[in-house]
C-alpha cells in the first residue's frame, strides 16, 4: 500500500504523505465499495475523506485504512434515506416535524395490505363497474359524527381551501378578527381565503366577537360564515366568541352556510384525561354546522388526511368541485383511515390508537418506565426526572400532561453535543433540552422502544 512517509505528523510533510486517490482505489476495501456503489460516488467519497484529513493535518497522517473507513462511512450515510423512523423523546405527542400520529397496528396492517397489490379503490365489486374512492370511509365518518355526508382529502389545510373554493368563490366569507390565525408553516387563514377566491369580511375584535357582529355583516354577497378554532394559542381574560349554535342559527335564517374548521377535532372527550375540552366534530354537526373540517393525523390518530363532514348538499357541492380531484387521498391513506375509525366504532380507541394510549398513560406507569430505562442503562449520569408532556399539533394549547423523563447530565459533553449524539444514533432519538439537562420524556417513547433507549444511554456513557 502507499508509503505513508514521514511521521513528524504536521504541516507539509503530513500532507504530502497522504496516499493518492488512485492508490486508494486499488485497495481491497475500495474494490468492495465499487461493487456496491457507482464509481463516481466512491471516488467522491474517497476524495472527501482525503480532503477532510488534509484540512485537519495535525498529528499522525491517517493510514489508508482510516481514510477508507471514513469513505465507507460517508457512503453508508449517503445511502440512508433522509426520511427515517425516529424515537420521539420530546414529550410532544402530535409533533408535526416528527410526522404527527403514529398509527395503530390494525391501521398499519390495513395499509400494508392495500399497498401490496390492486384494490377496489374505484371499482364497485357489486356491479362490476366504476366506483368512487370517496365511499370507502364516509359511512364510518357519518356514524361517528352524526353527519349526513363526508369527504376525505389530502389534509385539513386542503379541506378548508376546498370548502371555501366550492362554497364561496367570488362571494364573501364572514369571520371573526380573533380567528384570522396562522396555523403554522405559513398557513394563514386570510391567505387561504384569498386563494379560494372568496372575499374576506372581518367582524368583531381580536378578543371579543358577538353573534350580532356576524348578523350585521351579512350582505347579498355573503356565502359562508366561517369559524376557525384557535388551535395553537389561547386568548385569556376579557374575551367572547359566538357559539356554534348561534352562528348556525344566523347562517340558516338567512340561507347561508356555516363552515367550522376544528383543526384537530377530537372524537373522544379530552376532559376524560384531565385536559381541557377540545372541540368535537360530533358537537359541531349537532349544533348545525353545514361543513366541519378536521385533520386525520392530529387527535384522530390516523394517517395524514383532511376530513369534511356535514350536510348532504354542502358535501355534494364540495365533492363536485374540480379541486377535489387535485386533493384526493390515495388508497393506502383510505385503508389506514378506515381502520383507525373502526377503533372508535368498536370503542377501543383509547387502548388501540397510540396517540390516545400516550395521552391516557398514568404518571405511575411513566415513572416506572423511566426508572427501568435509567436502571437498564446503568449509567451514573442518567436519572429519573419530572417532566411535562403536551398534546401539541394544534390542539389544547398551553395544557400539559404530567410526565417522567430520563434526564442525562453528561460529565464532559454539553447538552447540545449529547442531543446531537442521540440524533446520530440509529434509529435517531430526538430529545428535549431544558434547564441544562437532556430530557428523554417517556410519554412519547413507545414501550417497545424502552430497551433501545437504554442501550443508547449506555453507549453514550462511554463516549
Ligand atoms: C392544524 C390545523 C389546520 C391544518 O391541518 P393539516 O391537517 O395540518 O393540514 C387547519 N386549521 C386548524 C385550525 C388547524 O389547527
Amino acid at each position: 500500500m502507499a508509503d505513508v512517509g514521514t511521521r513528524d505528523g504536521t504541516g507539509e510533510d503530513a500532507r504530502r504523505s497522504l496516499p493518492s486517490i488512485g492508490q486508494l482505489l486499488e485497495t481491497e476495501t475500495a474494490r468492495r465499495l465499487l461493487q456496491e456503489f457507482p464509481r463516481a460516488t466512491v471516488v467522491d467519497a474517497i476524495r472527501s475523506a482525503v480532503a477532510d484529513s488534509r484540512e485537519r493535518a495535525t498529528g499522525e497522517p491517517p493510514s489508508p485504512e482510516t481514510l477508507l473507513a471514513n469513505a465507507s462511512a460517508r457512503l453508508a450515510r449517503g445511502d440512508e434515506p433522509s426520511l427515517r423512523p425516529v424515537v420521539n423523546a420530546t414529550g410532544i405527542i402530535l409533533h408535526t416535524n416528527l410526522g404527527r400520529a403514529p398509527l395503530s397496528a390494525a391501521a398499519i396492517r390495513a395499509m400494508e395490505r392495500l399497498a401490496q397489490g390492486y384494490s377496489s379503490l374505484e371499482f364497485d365489486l357489486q356491479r362490476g363497474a366504476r366506483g368512487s374512492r370517496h365511499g370507502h370511509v364516509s359511512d364510518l365518518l357519518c356514524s361517528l359524527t352524526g353527519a349526513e355526508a363526508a369527504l376525505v382529502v389530502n389534509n385539513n389545510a386542503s379541506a378548508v381551501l376546498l370548502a371555501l373554493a366550492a362554497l364561496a368563490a367570488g362571494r364573501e366569507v364572514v369571520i371573526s378578527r380573533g380567528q384570522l390565525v396562522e396555523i403554522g408553516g405559513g398557513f394563514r387563514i386570510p391567505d387561504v381565503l384569498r386563494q379560494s377566491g372568496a372575499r374576506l369580511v372581518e367582524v368583531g375584535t381580536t378578543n371579543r366577537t358577538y353573534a350580532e357582529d356576524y348578523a350585521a355583516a351579512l350582505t347579498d354577497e355573503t356565502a359562508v360564515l366561517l369559524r376557525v378554532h384557535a388551535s395553537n394559542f389561547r386568548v385569556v381574560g376579557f374575551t367572547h366568541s359566538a357559539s356554534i349554535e348561534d352562528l348556525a342559527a344566523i347562517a340558516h335564517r338567512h340561507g347561508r352556510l356555516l363552515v367550522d374548521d376544528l383543526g384537530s377535532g377530537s372524537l373522544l372527550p379530552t376532559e376524560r384525561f384531565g385536559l381541557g375540552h377540545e372541540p368535537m366534530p360530533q358537537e359541531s354537526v349537532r349544533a348545525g354546522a353545514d361543513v366541519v373540517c378536521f385533520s386525520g393525523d392530529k387527535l384522530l390518530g390516523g394517517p395524514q388526511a383532511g376530513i369534511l363532514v356535514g350536510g348532504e348538499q354542502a358535501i355534494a357541492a364540495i365533492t363536485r368541485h374540480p379541486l377535489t380531484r387535485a386533493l384526493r387521498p390515495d388508497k393506502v391513506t383510505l385503508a389506514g383511515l378506515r381502520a383507525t375509525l373502526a377503533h372508535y366504532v368498536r370503542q377501543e380507541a383509547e387502548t388501540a390508537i397510540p396517540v390516545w394510549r400516550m395521552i391516557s398513560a398514568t404518571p405511575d406507569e411513566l415513572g416506572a418506565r423511566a426508572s427501568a430505562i435509567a436502571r437498564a442503562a446503568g449509567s451514573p449520569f442518567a436519572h429519573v426526572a419530572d417532566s411535562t408532556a403536551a398534546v401539541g399539533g394544534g390542539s389544547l394549547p398551553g395544557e400539559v400532561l404530567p410526565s417522567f423523563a430520563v434526564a442525562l447530565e453528561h460529565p464532559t459533553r454539553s447538552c447540545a453535543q449529547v442531543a446531537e449524539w442521540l440524533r446520530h444514533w440509529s434509529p435517531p432519538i430526538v430529545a428535549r433540552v431544558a434547564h441544562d439537562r437532556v430530557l428523554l420524556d417517556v410519554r412519547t417513547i413507545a414501550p417497545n422502544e424502552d430497551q433501545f433507549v437504554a442501550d443508547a444511554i449506555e453507549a453514550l456513557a462511554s463516549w
Side-chain angles (χ1 to χ4, degrees), residues 96 100 154-160 179 181-184 187 189 192 227-232 261-265 278 293-298 303-307 393-395:
T96 299
R100 290 202 188 145
N154 179 63
N155 61 356
N156 188 37
S158 58
V160 177
Q179 295 173 5
V181 300
E182 175 173 321
I183 307 307
F187 181 83
I189 291 295
V192 176
R227 185 183 80 146
V228 177
H229 177 50
S231 55
N232 52 8
D261 172 17
L262 291 184
S264 181
E278 180 72 16
C293 307
F294 56 103
S295 283
D297 55 350
K298 290 185 179 173
Q304 179 189 302
I307 297 167
S395 44

Side-chain angles (χ1 to χ4, degrees), residues 250-415:
I250 293 168
H252 298 159
R253 199 179 312 132
H254 297 90
R256 320 292 183 200
L257 297 172
L258 173 63
V259 175
D260 192 13
D261 172 17
L262 291 184
S264 181
S266 177
L267 291 174
L268 295 185
T270 42
E271 52 275 35
R272 190 192 292 172
F273 309 98
L275 294 162
H277 181 72
E278 180 72 16
M280 303 170 79
Q282 53 270 52
E283 291 170 342
S284 292
V285 169
R286 205 181 314 125
D290 297 283
V291 179
V292 182
C293 307
F294 56 103
S295 283
D297 55 350
K298 290 185 179 173
L299 279 171
L300 188 81
Q304 179 189 302
I307 297 167
L308 302 110
V309 298
E312 190 90 57
Q313 281 189 357
I315 297 294
I318 293 169
T319 307
R320 279 195 304 272
H321 192 276
L323 260 183
T324 302
R325 173 65 176 75
L327 302 173
R328 70 184 188 183
D330 80 305
K331 59 191 176 195
V332 177
T333 297
L334 288 170
L337 184 59
R338 182 163 185 101
T340 306
L341 293 169
H343 292 309
Y344 290 94
V345 174
R346 291 195 293 264
Q347 310 214 336
E348 63 186 23
E350 204 173 316
T351 50
I353 297 178
V355 165
W356 290 113
R357 273 207 302 269
M358 291 179 196
I359 290 174
S360 61
T362 63
D364 281 353
E365 297 167 42
L366 298 172
R369 282 179 50 208
S371 307
I373 294 173
R375 213 170 328 108
S379 155
F381 70 85
H383 56 267
V384 176
D386 290 340
S387 177
T388 46
V391 176
S395 44
L396 302 162
E399 295 207 35
V400 294
L401 290 158
S403 189
F404 282 96
V406 180
L408 307 177
E409 289 174 88
H410 200 282
T412 56
R413 311 285 180 163
S414 71
C415 287

Side-chain angles (χ1 to χ4, degrees), residues 53-248:
S53 68
R54 201 173 274 140
E55 239 161 61
R56 282 200 231 113
T58 55
E60 295 254 316
S63 68
E65 290 73 29
T66 305
L67 289 168
L68 286 163
N70 183 327
S72 305
R74 276 166 198 278
L75 288 168
R77 271 205 302 277
D79 212 33
E80 295 253 29
S82 58
L83 178 57
R84 310 161 61 186
V86 305
V87 174
N88 175 7
T90 64
I92 298 167
I93 295 172
L94 295 169
H95 200 304
T96 299
N97 300 155
L98 302 183
R100 290 202 188 145
L103 301 175
S104 76
I108 294 164
R109 274 197 307 275
M111 292 169 93
E112 194 180 357
R113 262 183 41 191
L114 253 285
Q116 264 162 11
Y118 297 102
S119 62
S120 55
L121 179 64
E122 290 189 355
F123 186 68
D124 186 329
L125 290 167
Q126 297 290 336
R127 298 185 300 117
R130 189 175 202 286
S132 163
R133 76 175 59 214
H134 298 302
H136 300 297
V137 292
S138 44
D139 56 337
L140 294 191
L141 284 169
C142 291
S143 68
L144 286 166
T145 62
E148 293 169 6
L151 174 68
V152 177
V153 291
N154 179 63
N155 61 356
N156 188 37
S158 58
V160 177
L161 173 69
L162 175 63
L164 296 174
L167 304 176
R171 300 176 65 197
E172 289 174 356
V173 172
V174 183
I175 181 171
S176 160
R177 289 199 167 85
Q179 295 173 5
L180 291 172
V181 300
E182 175 173 321
I183 307 307
F187 181 83
R188 293 178 160 186
I189 291 295
D191 297 336
V192 176
L193 258 159
R194 210 167 302 121
Q195 288 299 325
S196 74
R199 287 195 303 280
L200 172 71
V201 177
E202 303 172 29
V203 296
T205 61
T206 309
N207 57 332
R208 291 176 83 86
T209 304
Y210 301 90
E212 304 83 75
D213 294 325
Y214 291 85
L218 294 182
T219 71
D220 289 346
E221 292 289 292
T222 310
V224 161
L225 304 195
L226 175 63
R227 185 183 80 146
V228 177
H229 177 50
S231 55
N232 52 8
F233 68 104
R234 229 168 26 180
V235 184
V236 292
F238 189 56
T239 65
H240 181 86
S241 53
S243 73
I244 200 82
E245 286 85 357
D246 287 349
L247 293 183

